Amino acid sequence: MKIIVLPGDGIGPEITEATTGVLRAASEAFQLGIEMEHDVVGLESFRLHGTTVKPELLDRVKAADGFVMGPTSTLDYKKGDAKQVGPSAFFRKGLDLFANIRPARTYAGMPARLGQFDLVVVRENTEGFYADRNMEAGNAEILVTPDVVVSLRKITRPACLRIARSAFELAGRRRNKVTAVHKANVLSVGDGMFLACCREVQKDFPEIELEEIIVDAMMAHVVRNPARFDVIVTTNMFGDILSDLTAEMSGSLGLGGSLNAGAETAMAQAAHGSAPDIAGQGIANPASLILSAALLLSWHGRRKGEPRYVEAGTAIEQAMADAIAAGECTRDIGGKLGTAAAGAAVAARLKR
Ligand code: NAD
């Protein structure tokens, strides 16, 4: 398996190094023959190449089996500068990475303020309220007058059908329940179509229950009783917000793994940002990116029909859970270790 590694900005290089250490240990333990090739995106790429993403990276990544990308400081990029595009949007759009898979679960050894739970948010990743990726050219936010803005939301049937299918397939490997989160009472045409697509796909999965919840009520339900949820499917912006909430509910945003998957390739990317406030201090939690890399291995294994990769992905998740239970983790989640040592603790468990 060939993986391209793009460390990104802020804490990106630190957590990426910890993650590649875990990938090397998994490769050895499960004889995966993982080859990693490093390149740059973000501010380092801008410094070296005059652009935050080299266009040729698209082909490089396509030729590999997947990639790991650290967070990028997109807020610091100059808006409207074609040489300072956000790498996430570039790859999600350029590679049609339509499914953002974001698991959230509680861990032994960490306080579970809302009870134990284990759920996955499946977020549509290519359209919705994301105005910067809704158009072939230009931006779907329009300044009509200096005081009037129109932001367009795009919802398409093919995108709804494929994200619904991803959710049902995932639920079939878990606890057979899909919750569709929507706002069809207000966005009756767009979210109405999203719901109709979920119902249509459900016909192919009669053993899987489909539940429908309005997004605002969902905030109460998920906080009140997260254990009742298995797979949650929703449109782009709702999923963005809900998955940060569920990651934080699991103990920390730094625990949320995230995979951006398309038909041909997938990007492992931490759910959090580049955390400039703690960059360079060696204290960032690498868990999110490590768990994202685990999702990438499992995705690859299922796609290629090679169970070793799925087993390696599961083993990384278990090693992470064991390390957290033993207190071998970073300070933000109650441990005492730095970034490198927290990564090494997971890697060491895989080698045992
Ligand atoms: P952030 O997620 O970077 O940080 C929010 C808070 O969480 C900070 O206090 C930070 O120290 C903490 N935190 C985040 N990740 C952590 C980790 N792994 N370990 C320990 N603590 C962690 O959000 P922000 O400050 O709003 O954004 C900073 C930059 O990141 C911005 O430029 C933003 O655009 C960018 N961003 C990038 C991505 C991405 O690349 N996928 C996602 C979100 C934000």
Side-chain angles (χ1 to χ4, degrees):
M1 178 183 191
K2 191 201 273 188
I3 297 177
I4 307 292
V5 179
L6 306 166
D9 302 322
I11 59 170
E14 300 159 56
I15 60 172
T16 304
E17 203 176 325
T19 303
T20 52
V22 171
L23 282 173
R24 269 193 300 276
S27 183
E28 227 169 85
F30 290 85
Q31 298 177 353
L32 306 178
I34 294 177
E35 284 171 46
M36 285 182 270
E37 284 182 10
H38 284 67
D39 212 313
V40 285
V41 289
L43 297 171
E44 179 70 354
S45 172
F46 191 68
R47 193 177 66 76
L48 292 172
H49 308 294
T51 175
T52 49
V53 196
K54 290 179 291 178
E56 62 264 32
L57 271 183
L58 213 52
D59 285 333
R60 180 133 189 240
V61 161
K62 273 185 198 162
D65 295 299
F67 60 118
V68 173
M69 188 167 84
T72 50
S73 295
T74 37
L75 215 56
D76 296 342
Y77 300 179
K78 201 164 151 211
K79 288 276 164 296
D81 182 345
K83 297 288 184 193
Q84 298 194 49
V85 297
S88 281
F90 173 82
F91 286 120
R92 286 178 191 181
K93 191 170 175 180
L95 298 168
D96 198 23
L97 303 176
F98 65 88
N100 186 198
I101 312 294
R102 292 187 167 192
R105 52 159 286 192
T106 44
Y107 289 91
M110 283 186 61
R113 281 166 294 175
L114 304 165
Q116 305 293 330
F117 68 90
D118 178 355
L119 57 80
V120 184
V121 177
V122 175
R123 161 194 175 196
E124 202 293 319
N125 217 14
T126 57
E127 51 181 39
F129 269 128
Y130 272 69
D132 64 342
R133 61 207 72 169
N134 265 345
M135 314 270 279
E136 182 61 33
N139 190 304
E141 274 205 306
I142 301 150
L143 191 63
V144 181
T145 75
D147 299 320
V148 177
V149 178
V150 175
S151 305
L152 297 176
R153 171 179 188 256
K154 184 175 80 178
I155 298 289
T156 66
R157 189 177 298 281
C160 292
L161 287 171
R162 66 184 179 176
I163 199 65
R165 188 158 294 279
S166 299
F168 277 94
E169 285 171 357
L170 177 58
R173 299 194 296 272
R174 289 174 49 94
R175 302 194 306 275
N176 284 334
K177 182 174 172 186
V178 171
T179 304
V181 173
H182 64 93
K183 189 77 185 173
N185 49 330
V186 173
L187 299 163
S188 56
V189 183
D191 273 17
M193 186 160 76
F194 167 71
L195 277 186
C197 289
C198 291
R199 291 173 196 153
E200 189 178 327
V201 171
Q202 199 256 341
K203 289 182 190 148
D204 293 339
F205 299 85
E207 71 288 2
I208 298 181
E209 179 195 348
L210 172 63
E211 171 187 47
E212 298 170 5
I213 299 187
I214 294 173
V215 66
D216 41 340
M218 181 65 180
M219 299 300 125
H221 286 299
V222 80
V223 169
R224 191 183 300 154
N225 183 13
R228 68 178 265 201
F229 298 104
D230 178 16
V231 173
I232 299 166
V233 64
T234 189
T235 50
N236 201 343
M237 186 69 85
F238 296 160
D240 190 15
I241 298 165
L242 179 60
S243 59
D244 270 22
L245 173 68
T246 51
E248 186 62 29
M249 282 163 48
S250 77
S252 167
L253 192 55
L255 279 175
S258 171
L259 188 73
N260 295 269
E264 303 298 332
T265 190
M267 165 170 74
Q269 192 187 26
H272 54 76
S274 59
D277 52 340
I278 56 166
Q281 298 176 30
I283 59 170
N285 188 349
S288 177
L289 196 58
I290 291 172
L291 292 169
S292 305
L295 289 170
L296 177 62
L297 296 189
S298 299
W299 174 85
H300 176 74
R302 265 190 294 277
R303 185 165 165 264
K304 296 283 181 186
E306 296 198 43
R308 280 175 307 145
Y309 289 91
V310 181
E311 285 160 24
T314 309
I316 293 174
E317 287 165 7
Q318 189 57 51
M320 176 65 73
D322 293 344
I324 291 171
E328 295 171 11
C329 51
T330 49
R331 276 184 257 168
D332 57 309
I333 53 170
K336 290 195 173 71
L337 300 183
T339 311
V346 177
R349 284 185 148 72
L350 291 168
K351 288 180 190 157
R352 274 176 212 160

